[in-house]
């Protein structure tokens, strides 16, 4: 067991090292200032950010997880296996408006899939300044692609050891230095199993010793790094080895009295190993002695402080510490939003994101609460407004803070927020459990863009759950739709099982907040369950304490339903949040109303399609057939695929076809073609004349569509067949011994293009117990996958299906059809319709006839 755990830990350490190196190399290759790598997770279809370099993780939490089907560049790079290069913010908005709405800043970005052999492990991404010259961008992409290819090759060796997935929070690391950086650093590893400390050359240089003179113990390391704080370092090492590393860099005194920072961590995934001491990795940082510039800044009357690109405070003069309300030692070495909690607000966070991502300075006002600890001011004093200016550099963000009305000309001349925040807005941070998101002013844009892709009520509800709940820290959602003056539950998540059942179907005369918000047209906000209980004393409440928001869903003056947002804790709703939530409710109502009309039209289209497809296939004593049809999941779930079996003289006509497109028009065209083919088949015309006649009919109808088709006329008594094909995929033939081949039928162009098209006829022999498979391309074609691969997989599945006779113990032909379409039936998304027709001649009946 221990050996297995050691191998797992070593594999995770190697994975972490590979990711760190690849991100740093990518940033250098493309001239970026930040980057990261996404990896597959154990959750199907979900990518997780594994390493983030040059940006503080908490500020970018909404982008820690990306689903591969989302319209984001990371998802496209992984799903399609392509490089995505966005030169600037304009191109980002044009191609990926949801990303641009969430991060509306001036930066470019590149995304390259990490592929080893045929396995896509994830995506490398780099943020860089806007690229004015497209040819240079192409060159940068090629250099970054080489890094991704090298990482993919390296990850292949880890796939067998522990699997290459990521299910942890991202590791936030410093990027390679781009500007003048006086700091030095060295790395070390302590293995409690053998009590040995090993380090790199940079560590020995920083400590002024050599590996031959180093005792190799944690005590020796602590004494060399910080003689005065050795006990703190040893305690931190022990805590880290048990899986509890410090939450922020450890600030200690060096041998000459200077300050040193230490970052400690264990290997990713070590928390899942057996309880024992774990190997500890460390980084010793020496910021260097205080410079003359720092000494001069200490004397300024304006507050000045500096952040590294991870948001850690690396310098603060006395005036900055005074205005921020903390002693300097409590500021240094800590992330700004942890040291100064009242800066942890979505509005402020967005300004900091802008400074980290954009080249220009950022100016904004912040409000320090009057009762802030360390401010020296009582809660009875008025809150103080401060003007904050952030000036980004390649490695450091220089910050200036002065009271509003202070003497700093840069801050005074800078554009400020036009409207000052109220006390409620400062308190209402819109976050829960530390989860931050894009600021409230961007949520209507993000939600509106996402809702344009939702066409059904379920899809609208999923978008609201995905985009709206995290934005405001919500944990529960319920959507009710109005039908015949009653509200019916359409979607719920997060509520106790069965709790909402009694409210399903309530009339508009019932006194409930969900009813009152719709009938009055006014949203209702309750900061706590006690407030809700006081306003509605007779309604049952769930056991979870927290705030609630009830929003009316009204589209173009027509009531659509109501939306309930639930929170796990009490909270205030600022004026801005109330305005934004009310606007979002209008967007949701419009989308649901559109979805309702869509559902009506879709029901009509489905009814039309069901009427056009065969309800049963004709029975024949010598032939067994089985057909399957699966609609696509995009659009109206209806399309132009069809199959048919028609009595043609003393034989049978086997038909399959595919009309271009989806929707009512495709279904209607399919019905016309099916009727035409049936009419020609009933007249027992030769296959080439059937194809030619149907082709001319489609051209005369001129629906603006074309179609593919395969027509086979079978003689059940002899098994002989004649086939004609119009641009359709080649059929498959499974011989009685299991050997399966792709038939090579000469064919003509698709129907509806060339009135003079010729469709050659090919003779076939269908042996007893052989299976002929006709199918449309939806069964074998998937985005990002070659169609030949899909045909090969179908050929293998048909070969392994067995002889189609229940009497001999094999599967029925219907069972074989189910098996061949099983994967498609389970798929959450089917981009195209699927039609399948299987045919076999019965061996016992053929023998008896002869």
């Amino acid at each position: 067991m221990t050996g297995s755990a050691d191998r797992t830990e070593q594999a995770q350490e190697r994975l972490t090292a590979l990711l760190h190196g690849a991100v740093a190399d990518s940033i250098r290759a493309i001239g970026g200032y930040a980057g990261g790598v996404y990896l597959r997770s154990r959750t199907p279809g979900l990518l997780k950010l594994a390493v983030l370099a040059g940006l503080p993780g908490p500020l970018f939490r909404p982008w820690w997880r990306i689903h591969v089907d989302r319209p984001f560049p990371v998802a496209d790079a992984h799903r399609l296996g392509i490089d995505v290069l966005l030169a600037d913010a304009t191109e980002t908005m044009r191609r990926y408006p949801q990303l641009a709405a969430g991060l509306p800043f001036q930066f470019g970005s590149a995304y390259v899939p990490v592929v080893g052999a045929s396995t896509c492990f994830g995506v490398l991404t780099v943020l860089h300044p806007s690229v004015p010259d497209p040819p240079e961008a192409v060159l940068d992409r090629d250099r970054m692609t080489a890094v991704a290819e090298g990482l993919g090759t390296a990850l292949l060796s880890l796939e067998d050891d522990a699997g290459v997935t990521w299910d942890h929070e991202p590791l936030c690391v410093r990027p390679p230095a781009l500007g003048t950086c006086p700091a030095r650093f060295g790395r070390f590893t302590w293995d409690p199993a053998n009590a040995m400390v090993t380090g790199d050359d940079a560590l020995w240089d920083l400590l002024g010793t050599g590996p031959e003179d180093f005792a190799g113990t944690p005590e020796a390391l602590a004494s060399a790094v910080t003689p005065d704080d050795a006990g703190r370092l040893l305690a931190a090492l022990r805590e880290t080895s048990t899986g509890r590393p410090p939450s922020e860099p450890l600030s200690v005194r060096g041998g000459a009295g200077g300050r040193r920072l230490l970052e400690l961590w264990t290997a990713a995934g070590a928390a899942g190993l057996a309880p024992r001491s774990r190997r500890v990795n460390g980084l010793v940082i020496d910021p260097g002695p205080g410079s003359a510039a720092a000494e001069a800044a200490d004397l300024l009357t304006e507050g000045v402080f500096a952040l590294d690109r991870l948001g850690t405070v690396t310098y603060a003069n006395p005036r900055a510490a005074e205005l921020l309300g903390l002693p300097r030692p409590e500021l240094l070495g800590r992330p700004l939003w942890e040291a100064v909690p009242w800066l942890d607000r979505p509005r402020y966070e967005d300004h900091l994101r802008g400074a980290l991502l954009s080249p220009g300075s950022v100016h904004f006002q912040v409000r320090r609460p009057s009762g802030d600890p360390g401010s020296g001011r009582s809660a009875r004093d008025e809150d103080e407004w401060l003007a904050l200016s952030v000036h980004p550099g390649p490695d450091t963000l220089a910050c200036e803070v002065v009271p509003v009305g202070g003497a700093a000309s840069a801050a005074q001349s800078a554009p400020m927020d036009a409207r000052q925040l109220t006390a409620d807005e400062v308190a209402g941070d819109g976050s829960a459990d530390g989860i931050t998101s894009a600021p409230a002013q961007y949520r209507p844009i993000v939600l509106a863009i996402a809702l344009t892709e939702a066409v059904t009520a379920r899809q609208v509800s999923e978008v609201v759950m995905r985009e709206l709940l995290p934005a405001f820290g919500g944990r529960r959602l319920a959507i009710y739709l109005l039908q015949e003056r009653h509200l019916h539950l359409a979607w719920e998540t997060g509520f106790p099982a069965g709790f909402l059942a009694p409210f399903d179907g309530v009339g508009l005369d019932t006194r409930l907040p969900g009813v009152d918000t719709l009938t009055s047209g006014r949203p209702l906000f309750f900061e706590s369950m006690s407030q809700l209980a006081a306003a509605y004393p007779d309604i049952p409440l769930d056991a979870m304490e927290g705030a609630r928001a009830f929003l009316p869903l009204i589209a173009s003056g027509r009531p659509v339903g109501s939306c309930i947002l639930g929170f796990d804790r009490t909270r205030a709703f600022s004026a801005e949040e109330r305005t934004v939530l009310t606007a979002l409710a209008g967007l949701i109502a419009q989308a649901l109303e559109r979805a309702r009309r869509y559902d009506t039209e879709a029901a009509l289209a489905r009814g039309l399609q069901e009427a056009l497809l065969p309800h049963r296939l004709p029975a024949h004593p010598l032939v067994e057939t089985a057909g399957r049809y699966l609609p696509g999941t995009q659009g109206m779930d209806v399309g132009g695929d069809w199959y048919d079996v028609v009595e043609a003289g003393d034989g049978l006509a086997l038909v399959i076809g595919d009309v271009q497109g989806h929707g009512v028009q495709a279904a209607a065209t399919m019905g016309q073609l099916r009727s035409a083919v049936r009419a020609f088949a009933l007249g027992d015309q030769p296959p080439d004349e059937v194809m030619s006649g149907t082709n001319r009919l489609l051209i005369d109808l001129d629906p603006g569509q074309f179609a593919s088709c395969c027509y086979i006329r079978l003689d059940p008594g002899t098994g002989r067949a004649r086939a004609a094909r119009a641009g359709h995929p080649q059929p498959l033939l499974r011989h009685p011994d299991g050997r399966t081949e792709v038939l090579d039928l000469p064919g003509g162009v698709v129907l509806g293009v060339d009135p003079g098209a010729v469709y050659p006829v090919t003779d076939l022999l269908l042996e007893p117990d052989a299976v002929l498979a006709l199918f449309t391309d939806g069964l074998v074609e998937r985005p990002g996958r070659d169609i030949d691969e899909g045909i090969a997989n179908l050929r293998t599945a048909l070969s392994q299906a067995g002889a189609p006779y229940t009497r001999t113990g094999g599967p029925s032909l219907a069972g074989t059809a189910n098996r061949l379409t099983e994967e498609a039936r389970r798929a959450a998304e089917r981009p195209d319709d699927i039609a399948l027709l299987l045919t076999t001649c019965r061996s016992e009946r053929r023998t008896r006839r002869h």
Side-chain angles (χ1 to χ4, degrees):
M1 181 67 69
T2 302
S4 176
D6 284 338
R7 287 193 299 273
T8 301
E9 183 174 355
Q10 290 170 5
Q12 289 292 345
E13 287 181 347
R14 186 182 173 202
L15 172 62
T16 302
L18 286 172
L19 299 180
H20 283 193
V23 171
D25 290 344
S26 296
I27 292 174
R28 295 189 190 97
I30 205 168
Y33 51 77
V37 59
Y38 285 85
L39 288 183
R40 305 171 303 175
S41 69
R42 291 190 179 91
T43 303
L46 183 66
L47 300 175
K48 288 192 174 182
L49 185 62
V51 171
L52 178 62
L55 295 173
L59 287 187
F60 294 86
R61 187 181 292 266
W63 295 272
W64 285 8
R65 299 153 50 98
I66 298 289
H67 286 273
V68 296
D69 59 349
R70 297 290 306 282
F72 284 91
V74 169
D76 281 357
H78 185 272
R79 187 181 66 255
L80 304 177
I82 60 174
D83 296 353
V84 177
L85 183 69
L86 304 175
D88 50 31
T90 301
E91 186 173 2
T92 303
M93 174 59 78
R94 178 177 61 83
R95 296 177 58 184
Y96 296 97
Q98 283 187 246
L99 174 63
L103 294 172
F105 310 116
Q106 294 297 322
F107 67 94
S109 52
Y111 309 82
V112 178
V114 177
V115 180
S118 60
T119 301
C120 187
F121 295 106
V123 176
L124 268 174
T125 176
V126 171
L127 307 185
H128 58 80
S130 297
V131 180
D133 185 6
E136 179 184 349
V138 174
L139 174 63
D140 287 342
R141 180 183 63 186
D142 292 341
R143 296 171 60 195
M144 184 175 168
T145 299
V147 176
E149 290 175 351
L151 178 60
T153 301
L155 293 182
L156 269 180
S157 62
L158 294 180
E159 184 74 354
D160 294 334
D161 292 338
V164 179
T165 59
W166 193 272
D167 286 283
H168 319 287
E169 291 187 355
L171 300 176
C172 298
V173 298
R174 288 176 173 78
L178 300 178
T180 302
C181 182
R184 297 181 299 153
F185 60 88
R187 300 181 183 274
F188 69 87
T189 299
W190 173 46
D191 188 351
N194 58 23
M196 292 299 295
V197 174
T198 57
D200 62 7
D201 292 340
L203 177 68
W204 311 131
D205 181 63
L206 187 153
L207 298 180
T209 184
E212 66 280 356
D213 300 323
F214 181 66
T217 65
E219 290 79 10
L221 175 71
S223 177
V225 172
T226 173
D228 296 332
D229 289 336
R232 287 184 62 208
L233 175 52
L234 288 173
L237 285 172
R238 288 191 292 269
E239 286 291 300
T240 304
S241 71
T242 62
R244 297 188 296 272
S247 58
E248 63 267 343
L250 190 67
S251 180
V252 296
R253 292 185 295 276
R259 184 173 58 91
R260 285 174 174 167
L261 299 176
L262 282 96
E263 295 189 28
L264 303 174
W265 68 93
T266 56
L273 301 178
R276 61 184 180 86
S277 293
R278 305 179 179 104
R279 189 179 293 111
V280 176
N281 298 316
L283 180 68
V284 180
I285 306 169
D286 186 353
S291 64
E295 293 176 2
D298 283 350
L299 303 176
L300 293 176
T301 58
E302 297 86 6
V304 176
F305 63 98
L307 308 175
D308 66 14
R309 295 203 66 85
L310 295 187
T312 301
V313 180
T314 58
Y315 167 78
N317 73 353
R319 179 55 171 160
E322 176 187 353
L323 291 173
L324 296 177
L326 283 175
R328 277 211 287 185
E330 294 186 27
L331 277 172
L332 296 177
R334 298 178 63 188
L336 179 64
W337 42 90
E338 291 182 9
V340 189
W342 45 268
L343 284 176
D344 186 13
R345 300 288 184 266
R347 172 187 288 267
Y348 304 155
E349 290 172 354
D350 193 55
H351 288 302
L352 291 174
R353 276 191 287 264
L356 286 161
L357 297 178
S358 301
S361 298
V362 174
H363 312 277
F364 58 102
Q365 292 183 13
V366 298
R367 189 172 191 169
R368 186 179 71 181
S370 58
D372 178 53
S375 66
R377 305 163 68 241
S378 70
R380 292 187 300 272
D381 296 333
E382 292 185 1
D383 295 347
E384 183 177 3
W385 282 93
L386 305 174
L388 189 62
S389 298
V390 184
H391 310 281
D395 302 301
T396 302
L397 281 72
C399 308
E400 183 181 8
V401 57
V402 297
V404 170
S409 58
Q412 283 182 326
S413 62
M416 300 295 179
D417 291 339
R419 182 182 60 80
Q420 293 185 342
L421 301 179
T422 66
D424 285 344
E425 289 175 305
V426 173
D429 61 2
S431 64
D433 299 333
I435 297 177
T436 61
S437 65
Q441 60 263 37
Y442 297 120
R443 300 318 299 179
I445 303 173
V446 175
L447 186 63
I449 294 171
L451 286 174
T452 60
E453 303 170 2
V455 294
T456 67
R458 179 180 181 85
Q459 290 172 343
V460 171
S461 302
E462 289 175 343
V463 168
V464 174
M465 180 183 68
R466 186 176 66 231
E467 301 290 350
L468 184 60
L469 281 185
F472 294 90
R475 298 296 188 186
R476 303 176 180 191
L477 169 70
I479 292 179
Y480 287 84
L481 295 180
L482 182 64
Q483 297 177 9
E484 298 179 354
R485 295 189 58 78
H486 288 77
L487 286 174
H488 295 275
L489 184 63
W491 178 273
E492 66 167 306
T493 183
F495 286 92
F499 173 74
L500 296 178
F503 305 105
D504 190 12
V506 296
L508 293 186
D509 56 351
T510 308
R511 189 171 185 274
L512 291 170
V515 174
D516 290 350
T517 189
L518 180 61
T519 55
S520 67
R522 296 191 304 271
L524 302 175
F525 299 94
F526 301 95
E527 298 181 3
S528 65
M529 294 297 283
S530 58
Q531 281 190 4
L532 178 58
Y536 294 87
D538 298 328
I539 66 171
L541 302 176
D542 61 276
M544 297 300 296
E545 188 69 24
R548 295 289 185 270
F550 297 84
L551 308 175
L553 302 179
I554 300 174
S556 303
R558 295 188 300 275
V560 175
S562 58
C563 176
I564 304 172
L565 299 179
F567 304 83
D568 287 345
R569 62 184 183 183
T570 59
R571 58 158 293 166
F573 294 92
S574 68
E576 182 183 32
E577 287 178 323
R578 293 172 187 243
T579 300
V580 170
L581 284 171
T582 302
L584 294 177
L587 292 176
I588 297 168
Q590 294 284 354
L592 287 171
E593 182 69 8
R594 186 176 66 247
R596 180 179 292 177
R597 292 194 300 268
Y598 171 87
D599 288 341
T600 300
E601 295 173 3
L604 174 63
R606 283 192 294 269
L608 171 63
Q609 187 178 45
E610 290 175 2
L612 294 174
L613 287 172
H615 293 103
R616 62 180 179 85
L617 299 177
H620 194 284
L622 302 179
V623 177
E624 182 181 359
T625 57
R628 295 292 182 270
Y629 175 80
L630 298 175
T633 58
Q634 299 176 0
M636 288 191 177
D637 292 354
V638 294
D641 292 19
W642 91 95
Y643 63 88
D644 207 351
V645 178
V646 187
E647 294 181 356
D650 58 355
L652 291 177
L654 312 174
V655 188
I656 196 160
D658 182 359
V659 176
Q660 169 212 12
H662 300 84
V664 176
Q665 180 60 50
T669 301
M670 177 269 284
Q672 293 171 312
L673 293 185
R674 177 173 178 252
S675 297
V677 172
R678 287 185 65 88
F680 290 131
L682 289 171
D684 202 13
Q685 296 191 23
D688 56 335
E689 296 183 11
V690 173
M691 289 289 94
S692 298
T694 307
N695 177 49
R696 289 191 294 271
L697 173 65
L698 182 58
I699 292 174
D700 291 343
L701 291 173
D702 192 22
Q705 295 170 305
F706 58 84
S708 66
C709 185
C710 185
Y711 180 94
I712 299 178
R713 201 278 188 189
L714 173 66
D715 181 356
T718 63
R720 298 189 181 280
R722 307 191 72 209
R725 190 174 62 88
H728 200 81
Q730 297 281 5
L732 299 181
L733 180 62
R734 182 191 186 279
H735 296 278
D737 60 3
R739 179 173 50 88
T740 302
E741 64 175 314
V742 180
L743 296 179
D744 185 14
L745 305 182
V749 298
V750 292
L751 305 175
V753 174
D754 180 8
V758 176
Y759 300 95
V761 177
T762 305
D763 293 328
L764 302 173
L765 177 63
L766 191 59
E767 305 167 86
D769 292 346
V771 178
L772 179 68
L774 306 178
F775 56 91
T776 57
D777 55 9
L779 184 60
V780 294
E781 197 169 26
R782 295 287 185 277
R785 187 177 76 175
D786 189 82
I787 189 172
D788 291 337
E789 179 184 349
I791 293 175
N793 292 340
L794 179 63
R795 178 181 175 182
T796 300
L798 180 60
S799 179
Q800 296 172 350
Y805 284 104
T806 56
R807 180 175 301 178
T808 59
S812 66
L813 198 64
T816 300
N818 290 337
R819 178 173 177 178
L820 298 182
T821 56
E822 180 180 7
E823 180 183 353
R825 288 198 308 272
R826 291 200 311 263
E829 296 291 337
R830 287 190 298 272
D832 200 359
D833 311 323
I834 293 172
L836 172 69
L837 178 62
L838 301 181
T839 305
T840 187
C841 292
R842 302 181 188 274
S843 57
E844 66 269 23
R845 293 299 183 93
R846 181 87 58 82
T847 302
R848 188 174 303 169
R849 179 177 178 126
H850 289 280

